[in-house]
Amino acid sequence: VTKVATALAVWVATEEEAVGLDEPAGPEGSTVRHLLAHASGLPFEGRDAIAAPGTRRIYSNTGFEVAAEHLAAASGLSMATYLHEGVCAPLDMASTHLDASPAWGATSTVADLIRFGQELLAPTVFDPTTIDRVTSVAFAGLDGVLPGYGRQTPNAWGLGVEVRGNKSPHWTGDRNSAATFGHFGGAGTLLWVDPGESFDRATACIALTDRPFDEWAAEALQLWPALSDAVLAEAG
């Protein structure tokens, strides 16, 4: 779930006015907002755009790397530093580090990500209006492929987090509301936050493994919805 951590650092930077979401970044016509919403036109890997910005939802590691480069150029701080100082230190996430790509190169612990999830449920570092804005659908109506689950019409995303919407099939459960947002990752990880009908029923779920998301991926993609439904049933 490195991309979510990277996105949080950018969210902090926007509150501090170090960067703006509508600043040009990436291919011509793209902005920071496009990059975080997988709408810049950049491919999964590579710097040559394969679509015009704002026309398709293309899941892109490169987009997050370009967003990190833009933040570093604007602020004079690396993404790793901005993440540590702006997110991890205030939330006492001492075991979370970005050591490689801002698209996939972070390490963390369940204990740290509990604090991470609590911040998304009840912001203390962020202004609550920021959380509402960045976890709402950006560039509504764009179609695209949800990794592991095929083409979704539409394929809703916020700024660094996927939004469940009406997607089917999906890695969250039948009990999850359409407003659920989060991410799953190639290291066998998942993080979702479900605000429910009102935030007094809000719930977060976190799972980490140290198994590469390869031969057991198909099984996990079937089991995660059941896990999500069980968590929400327990939460009441």
Side-chain angles (χ1 to χ4, degrees):
V1 293
T2 297
K3 289 184 181 70
V4 184
T6 293
L8 261 70
V10 178
W11 301 351
V12 169
T14 63
E15 288 193 349
E16 295 177 344
E17 299 184 347
V19 298
L21 290 173
D22 295 315
E23 293 176 357
E28 184 176 357
S30 173
T31 65
V32 174
R33 190 186 304 273
H34 285 98
L35 294 170
L36 294 182
H38 297 289
S40 68
L42 288 169
F44 180 67
E45 301 285 359
R47 298 284 173 135
D48 295 329
I50 58 176
T55 61
R56 289 170 56 192
R57 195 82 68 186
I58 303 170
Y59 186 80
S60 176
N61 281 347
T62 302
F64 276 70
E65 291 165 353
V66 172
E69 291 165 5
H70 181 82
L71 174 60
S75 68
L77 299 174
S78 69
M79 176 57 74
T81 300
Y82 221 106
L83 175 63
H84 173 73
E85 295 183 356
V87 179
C88 296
L91 294 179
D92 195 26
M93 295 170 55
S95 298
T96 301
H97 307 281
L98 179 63
D99 300 315
S101 167
W104 50 261
T107 56
S108 190
T109 62
V110 169
D112 272 15
L113 289 186
I114 288 173
R115 299 183 182 96
F116 194 84
Q118 287 171 330
E119 177 66 16
L120 294 171
L121 287 170
T124 58
V125 172
F126 294 98
D127 188 302
T129 61
T130 297
I131 299 291
D132 291 343
R133 184 171 65 254
V134 297
T135 60
S136 298
V137 178
F139 307 105
L142 295 187
D143 300 340
V145 173
L146 177 62
Y149 288 91
R151 186 172 182 81
Q152 302 286 334
T153 307
N155 189 11
W157 283 77
L159 302 185
V161 291
E162 185 207 342
V163 179
R164 179 187 169 116
N166 61 359
K167 294 172 187 159
S168 181
H170 198 254
W171 54 279
T172 61
D174 291 337
R175 289 175 176 263
N176 283 91
S177 74
T180 301
F181 60 88
H183 214 289
F184 72 88
T189 61
L190 69 84
L191 163 68
W192 58 250
V193 173
D194 188 345
E197 297 299 323
S198 61
F199 265 94
D200 62 339
R201 299 292 297 275
T203 306
C205 178
I206 295 149
L208 297 183
T209 79
D210 59 0
R211 295 179 62 186
F213 199 47
D214 45 33
E215 72 279 355
W216 69 283
E219 180 182 4
L221 294 179
Q222 296 298 317
L223 293 175
W224 284 347
L227 169 65
S228 298
D229 282 339
V231 167
L232 287 169
E234 184 69 21

